[in-house]
Amino acid sequence: MGTKYEFKTDKGDTVAIFFTSTGTIQMYTLQKGCHSSSAAEMTPVEARRLGNILTGAIIEADQESVEIAFSALADLRVTIHTFYIPRARAGQTIEDLRIRAKTGATVIAVCRQDKNIINPPPSFAFEEGDAALVIGESDQIKKFESEILVE
């Protein structure tokens, strides 16, 4: 059947979470003094999103970009964006391009022909068509796009 987690809030409401054997997650809430509960069924992805919201990590996705806000860290907001490397940058390294010095952004991963390179070193040379995953504040991501990706 699955696994059940249940707890009571300080106000006496009951929250129950069921992880079913089929992979769905069911959440039930029963307010103190009520006789019928409310239910929601979620996929694992939806449940993770709810978990992020409840823990203060708010994710907003827009095409190839995701912005994450961490309310527990003085409302820190970071953006992670995927860019495709143009021909003009092929053969140049992260160090050659002085990405962090020019933009403040950091390349955290590169996907090349279905192979992922996590935390590429400064000596990593780009190839045309590489998908670079870049992290930074919103203005740093915009600088990366305008200063590094220009043809």
Side-chain angles (χ1 to χ4, degrees):
M1 171 118 185
T3 306
K4 174 184 173 185
Y5 296 92
E6 183 176 297
F7 67 94
K8 285 202 182 293
T9 67
D10 289 343
K11 291 184 176 184
D13 298 338
T14 302
V15 178
I17 308 289
F18 291 92
F19 292 87
T20 69
S21 56
T22 62
T24 61
I25 295 93
Q26 298 173 348
M27 180 176 74
Y28 295 87
T29 59
L30 179 64
Q31 289 185 312
K32 181 181 179 181
C34 290
H35 299 290
S36 61
S37 62
S38 297
E41 185 168 294
M42 297 169 274
T43 65
V45 170
E46 293 164 338
R48 280 191 296 279
R49 186 174 179 132
L50 175 61
N52 285 330
I53 292 167
L54 292 173
T55 59
I58 301 162
I59 300 173
E60 298 172 5
D62 176 31
Q63 295 176 357
E64 292 296 316
S65 185
V66 175
E67 184 173 274
I68 304 170
F70 297 94
S71 60
L73 298 173
D75 291 326
L76 171 68
R77 295 180 87 80
V78 296
T79 300
I80 302 170
H81 193 94
T82 303
F83 294 100
Y84 290 95
I85 302 301
R87 179 178 309 169
R89 295 294 175 233
Q92 293 181 296
T93 67
I94 292 171
E95 187 174 36
D96 293 339
L97 295 169
R98 300 183 53 233
I99 293 170
R100 287 203 53 201
K102 286 182 178 178
T103 69
T106 302
V107 176
I108 60 173
V110 176
C111 181
R112 177 179 291 160
Q113 299 172 355
D114 295 329
K115 181 181 176 196
N116 294 319
I117 299 107
I118 307 298
N119 294 322
S123 60
F124 179 84
F126 290 110
E127 291 181 5
E128 180 183 1
D130 282 351
L133 188 62
V134 180
I135 188 169
E137 293 178 337
S138 181
D139 62 322
Q140 293 170 329
I141 297 298
K142 288 175 186 169
K143 274 187 179 179
F144 179 90
E145 190 168 19
S146 66
E147 295 185 26
I148 303 301
L149 296 181
V150 292
E151 293 271 351

